[in-house]
Every structure is written in C-alpha cells, then in structure tokens.
Amino acid sequence: MSTTDTDGVLADPEVGAVVIATRHDSHADLVRAALEAGKHVFVEKPLALSAEELDAISAAHAARPDRVVMVGFNRRFAPHAQRMRALLSGVAEPKCFVMTVNAGAVPPEHWTQDRRVGGGRIVGEACHFIDLLRFLAGSPIKGFHGQLDGPGAGTAVTDDKASITLTFEDGSIGTILYLANGHRSFPKERLEVFTAGRILQLDNFRRLSGFGWPKFRKMNLWRQDKGQKQCARAFLAALRAGGGPAPIPSTSSWK
C-alpha cells in the first residue's frame, strides 16, 4: 500500500512495517514517529539531517529495540560488493580505498541542493559511499575529514564537490571524491582497493577486476546491479525472522 496519510498508517494495527521515501528533511521525524507507533522501518538515505535528529531516532529505537530500522544503503548488497567483502575478509592488512563518484551536475535550484530540505548532495548522497567503505573495511570508522570545493569564477554550487577522508580502527584509510564537475562519458562510480600487494577495481557495479589475487581475476555482469533488490529482500527477511537481527547494524549505519 502506498499513501500520504501518515497518521492513518501509523495508527493502523494491521501495518507492521513502513517504507519512508519522502524528501530528506522529513525522514527523521517519520522514523521516530513510526518507532513510537511500534512499526519496523525502512527509510531511504539519509536517515537524518542533523545530529539532534539522529539522537532523537536513537532514543526512540532504544525504547523499541525489537523494531528493525534499516537505511536504504543498497550498494553493500550488490553482488560485486559482496564478492569484494569476501575477498578482503581474508586479508589481515589494512586496506586503502579510493572511491571516485562522477555524480554529474544538478541545478542549484534543485531541492537536493537546499540544505534545509535535501541536506545538500554530500549529506543526501555521498553517505552511500561512506557506508560502502565501512562495509568493505569491516572495521568501525575512527575519524574523518571533509573538504568542499572552493568558490571560483563560474561556480554556482560548491557544496556538491568534496573530498572525504575516513580512517578506520584497523588502520585502513579511505578517500571519497564526490564530484559534480566531470563528464558523463567517465564511469559514474569507480572504487579501487589497495592491500597486501593486491588491487581490486570496481567500475559502475558492472565490472570487478582483480590484480594479484590468487584464483580471482574478474567478475562481470551483463547489467549494472547496485543491490537495490537484495537490499529490500534483506529487510523483508529480517521481518520474517521476527524482527532481527537488522541487515545493517545500527552502529555502522547511524554513527
């Protein structure tokens, strides 16, 4: 069932789970209200636009820990990401990740560029890649640094071009280049991983190449698969299992 009658859905005892796919500024309040109504929640990213909103969700979830709250970070469920995680889990050394996102330009007046409504493209979209690196590292994020593109002649928006550096507790490091000033002929999403004298290179969730990996050279798909279907299936499987464990642990997707 699809509806805009939020109050009616939350009050309906026959509704056990809700999917939140509204604009970003409404996510946090809807998640909190759904938890308080005793519903399981699948919410499209981002979960919240501020630390205060995140704290309110954490408190609501602490009161209903039996409810599943899952953010739609689908890329970790993609076949290529799953294969990369399996390969990397056998390596004890820290990993070095380079994620290049050729996101493309969005007009300055688009709602995603409005920090009050969309949170800006870094909060609203780049979070996908922070989650992906966290998943592949298999280690909690220890610290981060972000740098936006500086203002210059002819630059209408600077908030959609940034460099984000992550450090992980196991010594791994990751750099995410989220860029809106490239050309569409270049791959939209490219990930490279360097570790233990080996390299993995993922292009657009269609081609995965291995360099120096024993018994692995490539994994190609006929069609791009970013894991959307697998992500939804994981949420449904958790509900069928009685509400847990959550497919994405809250400690890795919220903080």
Side-chain angles (χ1 to χ4, degrees):
M1 177 179 68
S2 176
T3 181
T4 58
D5 181 11
T6 303
D7 293 338
V9 167
L10 297 183
D12 190 341
E14 297 298 317
V15 176
V18 298
V19 175
I20 299 170
T22 53
R23 289 190 174 185
H24 300 166
D25 60 331
S26 62
H27 287 186
D29 286 343
L30 290 173
V31 171
R32 180 182 50 77
L35 284 170
E36 291 173 352
K39 314 298 185 186
H40 299 289
V41 182
F42 182 98
V43 56
E44 281 297 345
K45 51 75 191 166
L47 177 61
L49 297 184
S50 69
E52 292 76 18
E53 289 180 341
L54 188 59
D55 288 341
I57 293 174
S58 296
H61 192 241
R64 292 303 305 263
D66 59 325
R67 302 294 89 179
V68 173
V69 178
M70 181 173 173
V71 184
F73 289 135
N74 53 279
R75 282 164 179 77
R76 63 162 58 207
F77 295 95
H80 284 125
Q82 293 288 319
R83 186 63 182 277
M84 294 175 76
R85 173 67 181 254
L87 290 167
L88 293 171
S89 65
V91 178
E93 292 186 18
K95 293 85 179 173
C96 298
F97 302 93
V98 180
M99 181 84 226
T100 304
V101 185
N102 180 31
V106 170
E109 63 273 12
H110 194 271
W111 69 268
T112 58
Q113 301 279 26
D114 187 334
R115 289 196 178 189
R116 297 169 299 174
V117 179
R121 297 182 75 189
I122 302 306
V123 171
E125 298 177 13
C127 55
H128 260 312
F129 309 104
I130 294 173
D131 177 75
L132 178 60
L133 296 197
R134 165 67 181 86
F135 171 69
L136 294 176
S139 177
I141 295 173
K142 180 181 179 181
F144 70 93
H145 174 76
Q147 178 64 55
L148 292 173
D149 188 28
T155 302
V157 179
T158 60
D159 290 0
D160 56 5
K161 296 170 280 294
S163 172
I164 303 168
T165 302
L166 305 174
T167 56
F168 298 88
E169 289 187 1
D170 71 343
S172 296
I173 58 173
T175 298
I176 300 168
L177 297 174
Y178 186 94
L179 307 171
N181 54 350
H183 193 275
R184 63 184 179 181
S185 63
F186 189 81
K188 188 172 182 180
E189 297 177 16
R190 170 175 286 175
L191 173 60
E192 296 166 327
V193 187
F194 298 76
T195 184
R198 310 168 195 173
I199 300 171
L200 290 173
Q201 184 181 62
L202 174 62
D203 269 323
N204 270 345
F205 289 87
R206 290 192 63 180
R207 294 182 295 275
L208 175 62
S209 302
F211 303 86
W213 290 87
K215 301 181 181 180
F216 178 77
R217 292 184 59 189
K218 63 181 179 179
M219 175 183 172
N220 296 337
L221 301 180
W222 286 106
R223 295 181 178 179
Q224 184 183 72
D225 188 343
K226 293 184 180 181
Q228 287 95 339
K229 291 182 179 179
Q230 298 91 326
C231 182
R233 287 172 185 153
F235 177 68
L236 293 175
L239 301 192
R240 294 190 184 105
I248 304 177
S250 60
T251 51
S252 68
S253 63
W254 296 7
K255 297 293 186 178

